[in-house]
Amino acid sequence: MHEYPITEQIVRIAEESARNNNAEKVVAINLVVGELSGFIGDSIQMYFDIISKGTIVEGAQLNIRYIKPKLKCEKCDIYFTRPKFSFACPQCGANGVPTEIGKEFFVEDIEIALPST
Ligand SMILES: [Zn+2]
């Protein structure tokens, strides 16, 4: 449900970018979505198809790059993906603490097509 407003924003950003560059259409939108961001790619895609209909963004490819959450070891400062059922650092066994990695949500890149002259 909460993907709707964020998808509206994505379409708006893509529309603006297309307009500012005198593009004919938007070809692709590359999104970065952290697995802890709370946003679900399938929902974004579904809303995207509805919201982009009739706009310059309609039909654009939505590419989503998922980011796996990482913990940071308190002792040796390395970042690691959390093992199942554990927070232990694979290197020293100390506790890992949550980081911002995995909470990302942003538009990384927008690909547009310029009118052929
Ligand atoms: Zn460690």
Side-chain angles (χ1 to χ4, degrees), residues 5 11-12 24 26 33 38 41 44-45 47 57-58 66 68 75 81-82 89 107 113 115-116:
V11 171
R12 206 172 309 133
E24 203 167 45
V26 176
V33 179
I44 296 170
Q45 180 71 63
Y47 290 130
V57 190
E58 185 178 352
Y66 291 99
K68 283 220 173 301
K75 252 198 188 142
T81 311
R82 185 163 92 83
C89 168
V107 176
S116 43

Side-chain angles (χ1 to χ4, degrees), residues 30-83:
N30 299 318
L31 278 183
V32 174
V33 179
E35 288 181 4
L36 294 180
S37 69
F39 294 111
I40 299 161
D42 284 352
S43 301
I44 296 170
Q45 180 71 63
M46 187 188 82
Y47 290 130
F48 182 79
D49 293 342
I50 298 166
I51 296 167
S52 67
K53 224 180 178 71
T55 74
I56 196 171
V57 190
E58 185 178 352
Q61 175 83 32
L62 203 58
N63 300 317
I64 301 176
R65 185 159 64 86
Y66 291 99
I67 307 282
K68 283 220 173 301
K70 290 245 165 102
L71 299 176
K72 190 178 182 214
C73 175
E74 287 179 314
K75 252 198 188 142
C76 57
D77 276 354
I78 63 161
Y79 288 88
F80 60 96
T81 311
R82 185 163 92 83

